[in-house]
């Protein structure tokens, strides 16, 4: 029940209603720079993109902004009834239960990398943060 309520609140934050965390004059919120880094653990490939997100915005917004401004970046997402929005594919690479692969979301701030404990529909990146989308496996190595 608690996870369902949290998921609904996170999803509601995406809706343009006043009083849901955005200031009354949300049209004047500052765009803050963030970096999005794509890492494929299976092929050791890595690529980084610079983008922006509205101040107090979500990873979801940063990814959409990047997709809208850069033809080389595409992502898709799904909605889970319990956990909200999650990354399904990046640049055509899709996580798979059969292959035991998924997209993990990490954050790098001041050289320290941590796992993001919220999904793309809830987490608010900070100025100059590096959001890492890492394609990895849960299979034992």
């Amino acid at each position: 029940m608690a996870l369902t309520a949290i998921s609904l609140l996170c999803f509601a934050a995406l809706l343009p209603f006043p009083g849901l965390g955005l200031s009354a004059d949300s049209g004047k919120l500052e765009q803050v720079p963030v970096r999005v880094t794509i890492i494929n653990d299976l092929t050791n490939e890595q690529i980084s993109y610079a983008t922006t997100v509205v101040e107090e915005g979500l990873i979801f917004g940063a990814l959409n902004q990047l997709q809208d401004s850069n033809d080389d970046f595409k992502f898709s997402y799904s909605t889970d009834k319990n956990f909200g929005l999650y990354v399904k594919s990046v640049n055509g690479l899709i996580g798979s239960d059969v292959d035991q692969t998924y997209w993990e979301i990490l954050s790098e701030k001041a050289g320290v990398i941590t796992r993001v404990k919220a999904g793309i529909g809830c987490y608010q990146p900070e100025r100059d943060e590096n959001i890492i989308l890492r394609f990895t496996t849960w299979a034992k190595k």
Side-chain angles (χ1 to χ4, degrees):
M1 177 67 171
L3 284 177
T4 301
I6 290 170
S7 295
L8 290 174
L9 288 173
C10 289
F11 183 72
L14 297 174
L15 301 175
F17 294 120
L20 288 178
L22 294 177
S23 64
D25 193 11
S26 63
K28 294 189 180 189
L29 288 177
E30 180 183 0
Q31 292 286 325
V32 297
V34 295
R35 178 160 291 290
V36 175
T37 300
I38 311 304
I39 297 174
N40 184 334
D41 275 355
L42 307 181
T43 63
N44 293 318
E45 294 176 282
Q46 179 174 322
I47 187 167
S48 289
Y49 304 93
T51 191
T52 60
V53 64
V54 68
E55 184 178 17
E56 300 179 14
L58 306 171
I59 292 177
F60 184 71
L63 295 177
N64 277 297
Q65 169 66 20
L66 179 55
Q67 182 168 255
D68 290 346
S69 65
N70 189 322
D71 290 337
D72 293 331
F73 177 81
K74 299 291 180 223
F75 86 105
S76 67
Y77 63 94
S78 292
T79 304
D80 182 275
K81 291 180 182 180
N82 294 308
F83 300 109
L85 303 177
Y86 67 94
V87 175
K88 183 175 179 181
S89 73
V90 176
N91 294 339
L93 188 56
I94 301 171
S96 164
D97 288 341
V98 172
D99 296 330
Q100 298 181 325
T101 56
Y102 71 104
W103 285 99
E104 179 180 33
I105 304 171
L106 304 168
S107 166
E108 181 180 16
K109 298 178 196 172
V112 177
I113 297 175
T114 57
R115 179 176 284 142
V116 172
K117 294 184 181 180
I120 61 173
C122 292
Y123 185 80
Q124 297 177 320
E126 297 174 8
R127 176 181 299 278
D128 299 322
E129 184 172 348
N130 184 19
I131 300 300
I132 301 169
L133 302 177
R134 184 172 83 166
F135 190 71
T136 190
T137 181
W138 69 78
K140 293 182 180 179
K141 297 179 182 181

